[in-house]
Amino acid sequence: MDGLSVSDGKASMGEGGGGARTEEEREAKKAAKAAAKAEKDAEKAAKSAMRGVKAAVMTAPEEGDPLADKYGDLELVQSKTCGTKTFMRVEELSAAMQGQQVVVRARVHTVRGKGKSAFLVLRQRTATVQAVLLTNDTTVSKGMVKYASQITRESIVDIGGTLNVPEVAVEGCTQTEVELHVNYIKVVSRSAILPFEIADAARSDADVVAAEARGEKMATVSQDTKLDNRFLDLRTPANQAIFKVQSGVCQLFKECLWDLGFQEIHSPKLIGGASEGGADVFKLDYKGQPACLAQSPQLYKQMAICADFERVFEIGPVFRAEDSFTHRHLCEFMGLDLEMTIQEHYFECMDVIEKLFGHIFSGLETRYAKELAVIGTQYPFELPVFKPVRLTFAEGIEMLQASGYNGSEVDPLGDLNTAAERALGALVKTKYGTDFYILHRYPQSARPFYTMPCDDDPGYSNSYDVFIRGEEIISGAQRVHDADLLLTRATACGIPVDTIKSYIDAFKFGAPPHAGAGVGLERVVMLYCGLNNIRKTSLFPRDPKRLTP
């Protein structure tokens, strides 16, 4: 080859093309380097693409393994058997069970295999426990360890073993006093490659900042990526706890109102007119008739009062077609609504609201302390202080003005914007030491058409809003129960009377004085837990830009 190169070189030089030939050689070397680099890049890309896929290579026991029946992928669960296994909850495992044989079904949170050992962290909702495999050829074979080491994170497994109390407490698991020495492991459902790691989605801002201070960079997951893959995001411990707390709020809401003589109702969400007026409704065609999704159960719970139900509540979806791109607004949320007859004054309903939230606050603090602690691990917060305070709207305006708050941002005959609400909340916290207060007697112009005007000043209304940490969670009022006044108010507010005719008719045959309120469930949980965005407390959020998943 060398002789050919020299000969070719001389021939080229003899023909006067030495410079061109040298250039060709340079280009050839460049091309060779580029080809080599491309080959390496392709190998890297292939390796990257195969990360985690290797786990799919071993789905069955090794041939000839005497422990082959103790590991391998489980056949598809199709209800062939029933009651053949007794499963334990991870959170129920304790040191008192040392030496007992247990079986758990859980997700593989992390897996680490090396040589003759494998360590898995199993996760079941917010509870985690360490599972250990050590080769001994009696209960754990090399093939078993290899199989376990290749299981992809988030796969669901059935794992059996002996519960052991280690000499040193287990770190990184909620179960610190016990670990599972595995002698049986079957994959029930194998996970594909994850779009992000659950551990990254569960990381707190404080951990990220601390890492940066050490010169390290921790992976994080953006809110949009989390919401695009909400079914994965919901697996984080904090999200598991948030929605247990949300469930708890509903339970406590029902408990208290049942004890106060309320009954639950279920009103329609398809209606022929705007339930609260305005253009912010989702319109649709209902068998050739114009219709919309209910902005609230307002009209129907009032009609229930007219039907002598006396005290009612409902938990159901509420739809608002507002283009509100804020941290606290959604186009669909869960409403906790109540309505009740009153004898003389709307304060009777405010009394119920204070009892209700006293029950919710104390119930969350006592029954859901564990979940609140889990939430605080990722989103640190202090429990809100519950000492009810009542202020009139005018008194609230006076407090803002006296504090030097920019008066141009406060309309004495309008509503408070978010900044003004927060400023007032801070003033109330400083003066009264509470995160919970009621502001009442709002200007009539800031309330819906069915709100009863004040007897002493028709410019104001018998209405109220409730706040936690300076943000509104409830809007309520005494309702107009006189058909003529209701018709006048609807007309004045520009609501087509023909679309609410059946509602107005309900007040023509004797209607009791009544009042009520509407509570936003997601907002209550957000503010109670000190979270910064309502999307964190909505299972699958619906905002002006998000309709999936």
Side-chain angles (χ1 to χ4, degrees), residues 471-517:
E471 293 196 43
E472 175 206 327
I473 59 161
I474 289 178
S475 183
Q478 179 186 356
R479 321 301 189 183
V480 174
H481 59 278
D482 179 82
D484 292 337
L485 179 56
L486 194 60
L487 184 61
T488 300
R489 289 286 304 140
T491 303
C493 291
I495 295 174
V497 176
D498 60 319
T499 66
I500 56 170
K501 182 180 181 301
S502 60
Y503 167 67
I504 294 177
D505 287 347
F507 298 90
K508 293 180 178 179
F509 306 98
H514 58 283

Side-chain angles (χ1 to χ4, degrees), residues 379-385 429 435 469 527-530:
Y379 306 110
F381 73 101
E382 293 182 0
L383 292 176
V385 178
K429 181 67 179 285
D435 290 300
R469 300 190 199 270
L527 294 171
Y528 185 92
C529 297

Side-chain angles (χ1 to χ4, degrees), residues 76-338:
L76 187 65
V77 176
Q78 291 183 289
S79 301
K80 290 182 181 180
T81 60
C82 184
T84 61
K85 296 177 185 176
T86 301
F87 292 91
M88 290 289 299
R89 299 290 301 171
V90 169
E91 63 186 359
E92 294 173 353
L93 302 177
S94 68
M97 300 168 63
Q98 181 174 14
Q100 292 185 25
Q101 181 78 13
V102 299
V103 179
V104 299
R105 177 169 291 175
R107 288 193 182 276
V108 174
H109 186 60
T110 62
V111 57
R112 178 169 52 92
K114 186 176 182 181
K116 297 182 178 181
S117 64
F119 297 84
L120 292 77
V121 173
L122 306 177
R123 190 184 75 247
Q124 207 176 67
R125 302 210 71 179
T126 59
T128 52
V129 66
Q130 179 171 267
V132 182
L133 292 92
L134 300 173
T135 303
N136 57 26
D137 291 328
T138 303
T139 57
V140 179
S141 65
K142 290 180 181 179
M144 199 168 173
V145 169
K146 181 181 178 182
Y147 173 81
S149 300
Q150 293 182 0
I151 298 174
T152 47
R153 289 183 292 276
E154 293 304 297
S155 294
I156 298 173
V157 294
D158 283 354
I159 287 191
T162 304
L163 209 60
N164 181 61
V165 177
E167 293 181 3
V168 180
V170 179
E171 295 183 0
C173 291
T174 62
Q175 292 288 15
T176 60
E177 297 182 350
V178 294
E179 62 184 10
L180 191 59
H181 284 200
V182 178
N183 53 38
Y184 173 91
I185 179 167
K186 298 272 188 175
V187 172
V188 178
S189 178
R190 193 175 290 273
S191 173
I193 303 305
L194 301 168
F196 56 80
E197 296 296 335
I198 302 301
D200 295 340
R203 189 162 286 126
S204 71
D205 290 342
D207 287 342
V208 174
V209 171
E212 289 177 350
R214 298 191 302 268
E216 302 172 5
K217 185 174 178 61
M218 281 187 162
T220 58
V221 185
S222 70
Q223 178 172 275
D224 281 344
T225 299
K226 288 180 179 181
L227 294 181
D228 288 343
N229 300 274
R230 188 62 160 163
F231 44 86
L232 290 176
D233 181 44
L234 289 172
R235 295 180 188 176
T236 65
N239 280 331
Q240 291 285 313
I242 284 170
F243 289 98
K244 285 195 75 172
V245 167
Q246 187 185 90
S247 176
V249 170
C250 292
Q251 179 185 349
L252 294 163
F253 178 83
K254 288 185 175 185
E255 278 180 4
C256 182
L257 294 182
W258 276 329
D259 288 345
L260 292 173
F262 284 74
Q263 75 178 75
E264 187 171 10
I265 61 170
H266 304 283
S267 64
K269 305 308 168 197
L270 290 171
I271 62 175
S275 52
E276 295 186 16
D280 296 326
V281 295
F282 288 105
K283 297 179 180 179
L284 54 92
D285 177 80
Y286 185 76
K287 304 294 184 181
Q289 302 178 60
C292 67
L293 295 176
Q295 290 171 293
S296 81
Q298 184 58 48
L299 310 188
Y300 294 98
K301 61 181 183 175
Q302 283 188 260
M303 285 193 275
I305 295 299
C306 292
D308 292 342
F309 280 33
E310 293 189 347
R311 291 188 163 198
V312 299
F313 74 85
E314 177 173 356
I315 298 178
V318 173
F319 303 92
R320 303 285 170 87
E322 301 170 348
D323 287 329
S324 297
F325 300 91
T326 75
H327 75 287
R328 66 177 190 171
H329 286 95
L330 292 169
C331 292
E332 180 184 354
F333 61 90
M334 291 303 294
L336 311 181
D337 278 84
L338 64 93

Side-chain angles (χ1 to χ4, degrees), residues 368-407:
Y368 294 88
K370 183 180 73 173
E371 286 76 17
L372 294 173
V374 171
I375 295 169
T377 301
Q378 183 169 0
Y379 306 110
F381 73 101
E382 293 182 0
L383 292 176
V385 178
F386 181 78
K387 292 195 297 184
V389 170
R390 297 180 183 182
L391 301 169
T392 65
F393 184 85
E395 289 170 338
I397 296 295
E398 288 175 7
M399 286 182 68
L400 285 169
Q401 292 173 337
S403 72
Y405 187 79
N406 189 347

